Amino acid sequence: MIKREMYLKRIRPFIGTELIKVMTGIRRSGKSIMLELIKQELTESGVNPSQFISINFEDMRYAHLQTAKALHDEIMKRAEAVEGKLYLFFDEIQEVADWEKCVNSLRIALDSDIYITGSNAKLLSGELATHLGGRYVEFVIYPFSFAEFMALYQTNAPVQERFKQYLLFGGMPYLAHLGYADAPSKQYLYDLFNSVQLKDIVKRNRIRDVDLLERIISYAMANVGNTFSATSLARFLKNEHRTIATETILNYIRYCVDAYLFYQVKREDLQGKQILSTNEKYYIADHGIREAVYGGNTRDINLILENIVYLELLRRGYEVTVGRNGTKEIDFVLNRRGEKIYVQVAYLLASEETIEREFGAYDGIRDNFPKYVLSLDEFDMSRDGIRHVNIRDFLLMEKWN
């Protein structure tokens, strides 16, 4: 169990406060481990573990607690035997009907510190906004970064070889227990994908046309990092003899985004300072899942490198858009509290034409914010104030500005 300091730094200021700490993200991304790390920190600070109450709602032993009233009654009863502050840890809370009413009531009734995890973005919408509005903080937990992968994938192989492994396996934490062996790792990722599809998408949204969902997911996986619209997807399906309403396609894609299987990136007009409503990009939560389910990560290495960089930008707390600079496109525009960074990603700068395209994307942008071109080239080709950095090095850098 590695100490995921990036997340702990953000969570620490809220430990012990009345704000409910909510950790979301794709299934098996390490949310349960974060709960264990928080318990570890609390214990080291002097809190007695007898003050902890932990429930994982995917454990059938707690099936009888999957209603708000049953859970509330159980916690109130257990609280009577606890001296001092109560620390509540609820894993996969979305399995509990009306859970937000229960959690809010416990927050009011008890001297407690509450932590919850969930695998759906809608966890914090609708009724929750009514019951807990302004009383929670959210942390999205992502699969392992390349730096975390390096810490776990213990080998004497050079960093280039380890990066190749990361390209194939991705960052799902459990793979460390499998020693990153090829066949078991792919089997685990394939089964994980099926679990996300069935539990977090099909079952949650009561989808009847599972075949359509699978086709849409397959199309999105094939096109990670490419701009596409629901209309273009409808045309693709029509060629496969499936006539589907655009609205239905949009709903299915939204369900996948809600389950954290994909992330949607909007496009921003850098000259007109507005968000464009068409042709978004989608990236998958873990590129290892794509390799296990769809294959071709090595063949589509340019797309996968973009995917890896995009997830790293999110991990570090940036808001990310795709930038339109006149007729040119900038892969990523990062914003965080007024701080801006521009990032272009390429596989190799193998020709003068490629170099001109990647560096030329910044033509006409006059601000002084950092501008990067990333590739797997080993030689520094920085020019005109634009930094060229090897992608591996960029992922391992502590700061980018």
Side-chain angles (χ1 to χ4, degrees), residues 298-351:
T298 304
R299 179 192 65 230
D300 302 326
I301 189 169
N302 56 324
L303 301 179
I304 301 308
L305 291 173
E306 263 191 48
N307 204 111
I308 289 170
V309 170
Y310 172 69
L311 264 293
E312 186 65 19
L313 307 181
L314 292 187
R315 275 188 202 95
R316 300 204 188 191
Y318 288 96
E319 292 180 12
V320 184
T321 57
V322 175
R324 189 176 74 179
N325 179 25
T327 59
K328 298 172 181 177
E329 187 171 278
I330 296 172
D331 290 330
F332 303 119
V333 181
L334 290 58
N335 281 282
R336 185 173 65 188
R337 297 185 293 277
E339 164 195 344
K340 185 177 279 191
I341 300 175
Y342 301 94
V343 176
Q344 280 287 96
V345 183
Y347 170 34
L348 292 171
L349 302 177
S351 67

Side-chain angles (χ1 to χ4, degrees), residues 94-150:
Q94 75 273 355
E95 302 297 330
V96 178
D98 296 324
W99 64 269
E100 61 277 0
K101 296 176 182 176
C102 169
V103 168
N104 192 44
S105 179
L106 293 173
R107 182 188 66 82
I108 295 167
L110 299 170
D111 177 15
S112 60
D113 189 11
I114 304 175
Y115 302 82
I116 63 177
T117 78
S119 301
N120 195 282
K122 292 299 181 187
L123 198 70
L124 297 175
S125 64
E127 289 236 1
L128 178 55
T130 303
H131 289 280
L132 295 180
R135 300 188 183 96
Y136 66 84
V137 285
E138 180 188 12
F139 307 93
V140 181
I141 309 300
Y142 301 96
F144 283 155
S145 65
F146 179 50
E148 290 174 317
F149 179 87
M150 289 272 287

